[in-house]
Structures are given as structure tokens and as C-alpha cells.
Amino acid sequence: MSRRAVTVRSTQVAIIGAGPAGLLLSSLLAREGIDSVVVERESREHVQGRIRAGLLEWTTVELLREAGVGGRALREGLIHEGFDVAFAGGHHRLDLKALTGKTMLVYGQNELQKDLAEARSEPGAVLWEARDVTLHDWDQETPRVSYTHAGSRHELRCDFLAGCDGYHGASRAGLPRAGLTLYERVYPFGWLGLLADVPPLHEELVYANHERGFALCSMRSRGRSRYYVQCPLEDKVEEWPDARFWEELRLRLPERYSARLVTGPALEKSIVPLRSLVTEPMRFGRLFLVGDAAHIVPPTGAKGLNLAAADVRVLSRGLIEFYRNRSATLLEEYSARALSRVWKATRFSWWFTLLMHRFAGDPFARRLQSAELEYLANSEAAARSLAENYVGLSFD
Ligand code: APR
Ligand code: PHB
């Protein structure tokens, strides 16, 4: 039986996964004349259709601009100078601008995904619908990626591999377990999210701590809102008809917000589990793990996308330094530099999750939450600490 012909191709950097991390890295390298090929399992439409978060730190916006893909985000995104925390029937505004001098940009991740894919739409830059993607020789001089595309086998030879294929990807999964340390925390609840073409109930985001559970009021534009309620992990979306969702959201919000709630049919509704996961190290020979392939944060505080962008910032500078001056110093420091920020964002997302969610059967924790929220509302030092982490810590 004849061995199926394998088409061999070479590039400088083979990138696995065309999510925000993979495409942003590919754009930044292209700006520097560094060749890369992105190998993605799903179709372009499928990846763009995923509803995810939509809150960008300003350092992420600057990196998008550096990659030449920030234009639409800045034109259509909403600049937010603060957000509200609601608790015990009252509310407190965190003035991010006054506390840190920085702001956030509200821009849907799926819109960003469209911009990033458009920027890498030249033929051969991204291989969509590539199947059976396998990484080889990541500990050798010339690593390879093999995959099936349009029914035939292909092999991509490269200098470096960037594993940007998310939590369920092939990159981390293909590594020897002995060389990895996984740090994980799983939270005993999920988030039920609903997207609807209704005007947001408030001009800024509202994070609500309530006896019935957490709620978040966010948006994608002045006409499209995104709401979340904390729900039991075992719940099914079918058990949450729109009316039940709206009623539960209303019950968890102080009157000043619930009185302004406009409801409507759900465009999308889904439940996500909450977990914190960090992989150490984030580099294995010539393979660099990036974004969700290396770490997961709970969505409280919207650090997932921003952390992926932060990894791309560190890795792109290392690869540019390598191809410009043949210096591998920054690449050797990639794992330590990226992990230093990953752990700080992981700590913040864990802390914010503990502060804002209801942990059943733990009255002591409930009292601690009330005390911490009171402290937050009355201490500039506490508010500044939250604000600094929320807008994104400066790079080392
Ligand atoms: N081969 C090729 N591509 C793969 C494979 C594989 N074996 N497995 C997964 N992928 C693709 C997925 O289809 C997805 O498009 O890798 C991409 C990974 O993208 P993301 O999961 O979005 O991860 P990342 O780019 O790191 O972005 C992290 O996105 O999911 C949000 O909350 C997350 O905000 C965070 C950000
Ligand atoms: C969102 O808009 O989806 C969002 C915003 C803030 C978060 C999480 C999600 O903390």
C-alpha cells in the first residue's frame, strides 16, 4: 500500500491556532518581515462566530495598533473610565481614570477576531480547517507540524513553534507530562451569559454581589448588551428560558439598575465553567505556549484575552530580537517573563471571583465579602489596588 504523499513547506514560525493569540502574533511578526503560517482546526466562520468577552486593557489596544489591527476597535469600541460594584442594595463606582490614569475599551472579542483574520487574509497565511495537527521535534533544531488539509497530508518545517491552540489544543497535550506542572483551581459554579440587542441598563459595567449570586451587566455597543448570572455548574441552558434569566438578573440588582433593565430575546445564551489554570514552564525547547494553551483565568475581570495578548507581546519581542540580532536572550526569558504576569492576573481574577460570587454554605466567607466590599468603598488604597489590576499591571 503506497504511503500518501506529504507536501512539505517551510516557514520561520509555525503558529498552532487562529484565535486572538495566534493571529495577533502572526500580524506582529509580518510587520517585521518574519514569515509565519497559522494552522487552525476550525473554519474562519466558526472561529469568528464564538461569543466571548469583550473588554480590552489599554496595553492590549496599543499592541493591536502596533500590529496594524486596532483601527476599527478604536472607531467602534466604547472607552470606559470606570465601573460600578453593587452590593448590599447599594453601589460604589471605581473611577479607573482617576485612580490609575488608564481606561478600558469595550469591544467584542468576535469583532476583534474578524479584524485579526482580515489582517492575515493573504493566501497561505492561515490554513483554516486543518485536521490531525501534530507537533514534532519541538526539542530539535528544526521542529515540524504535520496536518491534513483539503484531504492531503502536509508537513510544515520551521525554526519555532507557537502553541496558541487554547485549552483543548494539541500543543500542551503533546508534551511529556513529567515536564509540566499544572496549577489548577476549579470554582463550584458557572456563568450563564446572555447576549441581546437591547440598550445596556447603565453606561458602564456593573459587577453585582448578591445573596442570590453574582451578576454582571456588560455590553457590546449602545444597542447590544451582554449579561451574566452565576449559576450552578450542573444547570443546562434549556432550564433557563429568557424570562427566567431576566427575572433572576432583576432580583440580583439594586433598584437603581433593575428599574432601567430593558429585556428582549436572547441572540446567544451559554454557560461557562470557572477555573484558574497555570502551566509551568511555558516553553519547551523551540515550542512556546501562549494564551489559553498555557493558562485559564475565570472571566471575572476579563483577563483571558488580555493575558493572551501579553504573552504575544513578550514572545513577539523575543522572536524579533532573534531574527534581527540572532540573540536568544528574550526567548530564553519568555517563560519567566510571561509567568510573572500570568500569576499576578491569576491572583487578581481569583480574588475578584472570591469577592463577588456566592459560595454556598459558607456564612463566614459571606461576612468577609461584606467587610471587604465596605473597605473597598471607603478606602482609596483598596480601590486603587483593584483599579490597577483591573486596567492591567504595567509590563516589567
Ligand atoms: N489544531 C489547530 N487549531 C486548534 C487545535 C488543534 N489541535 N485545537 C484548538 N485549536 C484552535 C481553536 O479552534 C481556536 O481557534 O486554537 C484556537 C485557540 O484560540 P482561543 O481558545 O481563543 O485561545 P487564545 O488565542 O489563547 O485566546 C485566549 O480567547 O477564549 C478566549 O477566554 C479566552 O479570552 C481568552 C482568549
Ligand atoms: C463581557 O463583556 O463579556 C465581560 C466583561 C467583563 C468581564 C467579563 C466579561 O469581567
Side-chain angles (χ1 to χ4, degrees):
M1 200 178 62
S2 66
R3 239 169 58 77
R4 269 197 302 170
V6 176
T7 314
V8 177
R9 190 179 156 192
S10 291
T11 184
Q12 290 174 296
V13 183
I15 299 173
I16 321 302
L23 292 174
L24 180 55
L25 178 62
S26 182
S27 279
L28 284 165
L29 296 179
R31 307 280 289 189
E32 295 289 329
I34 299 169
D35 188 57
S36 69
V37 174
V38 181
V39 183
E40 164 61 51
R41 178 176 60 193
E42 307 293 347
S43 69
R44 179 170 173 171
E45 296 63 38
H46 175 90
V47 176
Q48 277 169 201
R50 288 189 198 121
I51 301 293
R52 296 259 174 84
L55 194 60
L56 308 181
E57 296 171 358
W58 216 256
T59 45
T60 302
V61 175
E62 279 157 1
L63 196 63
L64 293 173
R65 260 206 300 221
E66 200 182 305
V69 288
R72 192 164 74 99
L74 285 164
R75 277 194 312 280
E76 298 175 12
L78 303 171
I79 292 179
H80 278 200
E81 299 191 351
F83 67 90
D84 282 10
V85 172
F87 64 98
H91 69 279
H92 175 72
R93 179 170 184 267
L94 275 291
D95 186 336
L96 299 172
K97 187 88 186 269
L99 290 161
T100 68
K102 294 182 180 169
T103 57
M104 304 292 281
L105 189 71
V106 173
Y107 187 63
Q109 183 169 325
N110 57 320
E111 297 306 324
L112 178 61
Q113 186 70 38
K114 287 180 195 151
D115 302 340
L116 287 165
E118 189 51 39
R120 298 306 290 149
S121 51
E122 73 201 55
V126 182
L127 304 172
W128 301 97
E129 300 179 76
R131 294 285 161 196
D132 320 317
V133 173
T134 310
L135 288 68
H136 311 269
D137 307 339
W138 40 268
D139 52 357
Q140 313 287 320
E141 283 291 301
T142 314
R144 299 170 295 126
V145 184
S146 61
Y147 56 93
T148 303
H149 193 244
S152 52
R153 284 302 284 165
H154 295 262
E155 187 174 283
L156 191 55
R157 297 186 177 162
C158 56
D159 303 328
F160 298 105
L161 294 162
C164 303
D165 48 354
Y167 179 72
H168 302 287
S171 300
R172 193 183 71 241
L175 290 165
R177 196 60 188 78
L180 281 175
T181 307
L182 296 183
Y183 300 84
E184 187 165 23
R185 178 65 46 92
V186 176
Y187 303 88
F189 40 72
W191 273 17
L192 168 62
L194 181 147
L195 185 72
D197 275 340
V198 294
L201 55 70
H202 189 56
E203 60 273 8
E204 294 181 329
L205 272 57
V206 181
Y207 292 81
N209 170 301
H210 190 276
E211 183 56 40
R212 299 176 68 92
F214 170 74
L216 169 61
C217 309
S218 182
M219 62 202 73
R220 293 291 172 269
S221 68
R222 293 202 172 78
R224 177 168 286 189
S225 298
R226 179 72 166 159
Y227 293 106
Y228 300 92
V229 294
Q230 172 185 353
C231 69
L233 260 180
E234 50 285 351
D235 273 15
K236 299 276 172 290
V237 171
E238 304 72 57
E239 297 163 334
W240 283 88
D242 294 2
R244 181 184 173 199
F245 179 93
W246 293 122
E247 186 48 26
E248 188 57 40
L249 178 64
R250 195 190 303 280
L251 289 168
R252 296 184 188 186
L253 297 172
E255 169 67 18
R256 73 175 259 132
Y257 304 111
S258 58
R260 296 167 56 188
L261 177 61
V262 179
T263 65
L267 299 170
E268 187 271 355
K269 213 165 24 184
S270 54
I271 295 179
V272 291
L274 271 69
R275 89 172 70 227
S276 298
L277 175 100
V278 178
T279 307
E280 289 188 5
M282 286 174 60
R283 177 195 174 184
F284 298 81
R286 296 212 164 206
L287 167 61
F288 298 86
L289 296 181
V290 181
D292 277 19
H295 43 75
I296 300 285
V297 287
T300 330
K303 289 291 167 226
L305 173 64
N306 294 295
L307 214 40
D311 292 349
V312 167
R313 185 176 190 274
V314 179
L315 181 57
S316 60
R317 272 129 177 81
L319 290 166
I320 292 164
E321 171 80 2
F322 177 84
Y323 284 110
R324 238 194 232 150
N325 311 320
R326 289 289 146 182
S327 153
T329 311
L330 288 181
L331 287 177
E332 270 138 27
E333 293 169 358
Y334 168 73
S335 186
R337 281 170 177 271
L339 281 167
S340 132
R341 191 182 181 81
V342 166
W343 274 113
K344 293 190 190 90
T346 298
R347 182 210 67 82
F348 170 67
S349 307
W350 161 83
W351 170 82
F352 202 25
T353 300
L354 262 61
L355 178 67
M356 298 306 293
H357 289 74
R358 186 171 178 285
F359 289 78
D362 192 346
F364 184 76
R366 189 99 194 105
R367 283 284 184 283
L368 289 181
Q369 283 183 343
S370 310
E372 182 140 24
L373 287 161
E374 278 302 318
Y375 170 57
L376 193 64
N378 298 292
S379 154
E380 185 166 325
R384 192 183 307 284
S385 168
L386 169 53
E388 267 180 4
N389 284 278
Y390 191 89
V391 297
L393 299 171
S394 48
F395 282 85
D396 305 339

